[in-house]
Amino acid sequence: MDTEWAGPLDLDVVAARAGYSRYHFVRCFKEAYGETPGQYLSRRRIERAQDLLRSANLTITEICVLVGFSSLGTFCTRFKQVTGVTPGEFRVRERAREQPAIPGCFVLLWAGGFAQPGRARD
């Protein structure tokens, strides 16, 4: 989950890799980490979004999609639950004390956000 945090979570596949049933895996995961796999993944995505909001010149919607959320509303709600502020408020606060933002085209290129003409993305 840490290496593929931006993609959709297939809990059955993750549980199978761990050698457990889906329900037993969720119980064991929560016992070990104090949160469900979905909560953990959501928190990791928010952490990555915080980094991008600090450093990248991308819109909040672009960041939402890059970190694996399919809904801007869900992203903003989860972000505020974790950080106590909206993504826009977070960006303004953090940018006031940070270096200039990295151009969004570089971030998208690094993240694989550009498909090459004539080639399908994996």
Side-chain angles (χ1 to χ4, degrees):
M1 285 180 9
D2 282 331
T3 60
E4 298 175 18
W5 51 265
L9 174 64
D10 187 340
L11 198 52
D12 291 325
V13 171
V14 175
R17 284 187 186 170
Y20 294 111
S21 72
R22 172 190 187 114
Y23 302 104
H24 187 65
F25 176 75
V26 171
R27 282 192 302 273
C28 290
F29 192 97
K30 186 166 185 173
E31 184 179 312
Y33 295 99
E35 57 191 349
T36 66
Q39 292 166 333
Y40 175 82
L41 184 61
S42 181
R43 184 175 51 78
R44 296 288 294 152
R45 288 174 173 170
I46 296 299
E47 289 169 0
R48 182 66 182 129
Q50 287 176 301
D51 290 338
L52 291 171
L53 286 165
R54 280 185 199 105
S55 63
N57 189 17
L58 295 169
T59 67
I60 292 171
T61 302
E62 289 170 327
I63 291 172
C64 165
V65 172
L66 269 176
V67 300
F69 283 92
S70 57
S71 162
L72 182 60
T74 300
F75 170 68
C76 291
T77 300
R78 296 274 189 272
F79 193 94
K80 189 165 185 174
Q81 287 172 343
V82 171
T83 65
V85 294
T86 66
E89 293 167 339
F90 181 86
R91 171 180 271 165
V92 168
R93 184 184 71 203
E94 292 297 313
R95 291 256 179 104
R97 54 180 127 150
E98 292 291 327
Q99 298 293 326
I102 300 167
C105 58
F106 290 124
V107 176
L108 288 172
L109 182 63
W110 176 79
F114 293 118
Q116 293 185 2
R119 289 184 56 190
R121 287 184 62 188
D122 295 329

